[in-house]
Amino acid sequence: MSTALHVGFIPLIDAAALLVAVDKGFTKAEGLDVTLAPEVSWSNVRDKLNVGLFDAAHLMAPIAIASSLGFGHVKVPLVASFNLGLNGNAITVSPALHAAILREVEGDPFDPMVTARALAHVVATRRKSGAEPLTFGMTFPFSTHNYQLRFWMAAAGVDPDEDVRLVVLPPPYMVDSLAKRQVDAFCVGDPWNSIAVDLGVGHILNFVSDILPRAVEKVLAVRQSWAERNPQVLAALVRAAVHAADFIEQPENRAEVADILAHPERMGVPADVIQRALACRLKIAPDGTMHEDKNYLLVGRDGAARPDPAQAAWLYAQMVRWGQAPLSPAALEAAMAVFRPGLYDAALGRRPGDAGSVLSDNGIGELRLVDAFAGPRFDPHNLEGYLASLGYSHHETRSD
Amino acid sequence: MGAEPPVKEPSPKIVIVDESPIRAAILEEGLLEAGFTGVVHISEMQSLLSRIYALDPDVILIDLENPSRDILEQMFQVSRAVRRPIAMFVDQSDSASIQASVDAGVSAYIVDGLKKERIKPILDLCISRFNAFAKLQDELERAKSALEDRKVIDRAKGILMKLKGLTEEEAYVLLRSTAMREKKKIGEIAQSILTASELLK
């Protein structure tokens, strides 16, 4: 007997483990009959998961946390027991902004600190000349893209709320908006960065993996109440996703994976664009310049699939830093509890302390550090200290 | 009616964000009939937020097929551009309304402070009009396919009349009895006759 599941996703490369799990039959082998539903907005994915139209969903990690804590919308506790991907985003800029930044660059242009400082110069010059502030597109208020852009520019003293404009754009509109000069830059996952480069309307300035080498991106989210009622089904879904992630990470399978994802009912973009992202080797300029970073997108390898509560703490810290959430120990704890490495381990039949199990459970004692290209070392035990050294003070909730 | 005296409050300003002009018209008409006079329809997603800020509505209704929905979520954020805070779609406790609206394919954003009893009729109307539109579309699809079937059957009848020297009545009876014997729809049998005659040409 198979269990029918409805699972929502947004057509992006980091949905790969979910799409391959279904289309290669890994879910069927686990006794699951999964219907995949493509969605047009993150709000829809969140709401359909929250009200039960979806059993599970490809969801941006910060949305899972915001939903669980009731930030920005209805409070529905979610859990994430599988990371669909780490990293995979890039900052793409218009040819004009690219040229302006390159004129100011002092040092290695692949170093995000160098580009952030150059951006600060461009911003200052524009202000002096009375030009409009630069506009950056990102995908959602509670998005990794929002926090990654802010983290990057703030490291060089650019105030993301005062010095530039950050606007939400649905990913499929990003390239068009850049071409029409409605935005000067955007931060998004692939295929959209590569498509902008292929069309000659954008340059990839930095991979986000250069800014944060291990940043959780999408999770496989379910309602906490559903997880409690259906532990076996959830475990089966996680196992299918783990098998899919293993399949995706074998270089000899890349062409097949790209074909699966390229299908019109999945992503509907050319397979070669998908292959570049899977290979972590992207065309970054319309002239064909390539750039590679082995951490550009991690789907399962190096322990990427196992949820890490420290990552949830980092995302919560960004919400506090930018005035989206109050700082409270209870909220921090609740945010971290969204990420469930224990459920991941249980699905794979691992017990706490087994070989291959890095963490015992949700305890924060043995957490992996969240590294970043700049700023203080992240410490989930001392969020206040971390935020203070970033220059955070409680003025953030503005009312102007 | 309750004991409360009738309150003369101005009709809330409602913005409909929908790229389907027919559905938006159906909804707008319903709202006007119910006495909500301040209804504006936005069908152009270009600079959506600035248009909404300029209109300064009390309620925003958006269809769930619209990718621009994520843009609206920005209105929850503290920002200079927002004059009034926008609350989330319905009351946190009203999960049945949330479920019904997501099911119907619509979402509502409501400015903080608007009373629940003023929102409820708008939302209920919106849900029923969206459901009515979906039903209408469904019926239209069915009517279209019935018309298609009709054309195919007429052509198949013509072929049978010509090849077997039957009257129109006889040709139809033959189609119908074959369909019944093979447990198929008449349209399917007619289509296979067209396909076969195409092949044998």
Side-chain angles (χ1 to χ4, degrees), chain A residues 42-44 47 161 182, chain B residues 46 64 69-70 73 78 80:
Chain A
W42 288 111
S43 323
N44 281 7
D47 291 351
D161 291 309
Q182 289 155 357
Chain B
Q46 200 82 265
L64 295 192
R69 206 188 144 201
D70 280 348
E73 296 271 328
V78 178
R80 273 156 298 172

Side-chain angles (χ1 to χ4, degrees), chain B residues 67-124:
Chain B
S68 298
R69 206 188 144 201
D70 280 348
I71 295 174
L72 295 189
E73 296 271 328
Q74 236 179 324
M75 295 182 303
F76 300 134
Q77 304 299 305
V78 178
S79 128
R80 273 156 298 172
V82 184
R83 279 187 270 165
R84 296 188 291 168
I86 309 265
M88 59 192 184
F89 77 167
V90 272
D91 197 81
Q92 168 94 31
S93 58
D94 195 0
S95 58
S97 282
I98 299 176
Q99 172 102 43
S101 65
V102 173
D103 266 337
V106 64
S107 177
Y109 294 90
I110 290 132
V111 162
D112 230 357
L114 198 63
K115 285 194 200 96
K116 198 177 166 183
E117 53 272 25
R118 299 196 67 204
I119 298 161
K120 189 88 169 87
I122 300 174
L123 199 65
D124 287 350

Side-chain angles (χ1 to χ4, degrees), chain B residues 155-169:
Chain B
R155 286 178 59 202
K157 274 195 302 196
I159 291 168
L160 290 177
M161 284 156 71
K162 200 167 143 200
L163 287 181
K164 303 191 72 160
L166 303 176
T167 64
E168 189 178 352
E169 176 73 26

